[in-house]
């Protein structure tokens, strides 16, 4: 049985103009061109990763674009408390090649992308 070689997942953070939002940049792509914004857990149904992030009681928003995800948190937690937890969660999730979006979510993004290209 051949050993599977796992790609190392690296993640770094960048601040954003919103002090409650942090950008987590990953060396993997989440989406191609189309940004995806989940402003509530109810909106996140087509993204297993967004749903998992909403599992943290301090997460109030999740936004994907290209190779980054921005996470918005409550005021009750400080970033120095939660960055290591989110970074490790993302590293583990991505290294296990778990899906970012469901099949229905991917189809919707493809439709959204077609509409954006047609509108341009």
């Amino acid at each position: 049985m051949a050993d599977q070689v796992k790609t190392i997942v690296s993640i770094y953070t960048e601040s954003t103009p919103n002090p409650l939002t942090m950008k987590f940049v990953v060396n993997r792509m989440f989406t191609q061109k189309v940004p995806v914004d989940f402003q509530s857990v109810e909106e996140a149904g087509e993204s297993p990763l967004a749903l998992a992030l909403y599992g943290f009681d301090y997460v109030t928003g999740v936004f994907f674009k290209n190779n980054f995800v921005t996470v918005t948190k409550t005021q009750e937690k400080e970033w120095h408390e939660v960055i290591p937890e989110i970074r490790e969660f993302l590293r583990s999730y991505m290294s296990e090649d778990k899906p970012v979006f469901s099949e229905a979510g991917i189809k919707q993004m493809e439709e959204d992308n077609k509409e954006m290209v047609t509108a341009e």
Side-chain angles (χ1 to χ4, degrees):
M1 189 167 167
D3 291 330
Q4 291 183 342
V5 177
K6 287 198 172 196
T7 304
I8 294 173
V9 177
S10 65
I11 301 169
Y12 67 89
T13 57
E14 292 181 359
S15 60
T16 70
N18 180 347
L20 297 177
T21 301
M22 187 68 63
K23 184 176 182 179
F24 292 82
V25 183
V26 182
N27 65 334
R28 303 235 180 129
M29 294 299 283
F30 290 112
T31 67
Q32 295 290 332
K33 298 182 184 173
V34 180
V36 184
D37 190 12
F38 300 111
Q39 296 183 10
S40 70
V41 68
E42 292 80 19
E43 293 179 7
E46 298 302 336
S47 173
L49 178 52
L51 286 172
L53 287 167
Y54 271 109
F56 294 100
D57 62 355
Y58 50 82
V59 172
T60 62
V62 177
F63 173 87
F64 295 103
K65 185 168 181 194
N66 299 334
N67 68 327
F68 68 87
V69 56
T70 58
V71 175
T72 304
K73 66 166 187 64
T74 61
Q75 291 184 1
E76 290 74 33
K77 292 278 195 170
E78 296 296 327
W79 279 117
H80 71 271
E81 298 173 295
V82 300
I83 285 175
E85 182 175 39
I86 294 174
R87 186 183 300 144
E88 186 50 41
F89 169 77
L90 288 171
R91 182 177 290 117
S92 175
Y93 193 98
M94 298 304 287
S95 68
E96 293 174 19
D97 290 324
K98 291 181 180 179
V100 176
F101 300 100
S102 67
E103 289 298 320
I106 291 169
K107 287 180 184 175
Q108 183 61 51
M109 284 190 301
E110 289 171 351
E111 287 300 315
D112 292 347
N113 191 31
K114 285 180 189 174
E115 290 174 18
M116 287 177 64
V117 170
T118 305
E120 291 177 356

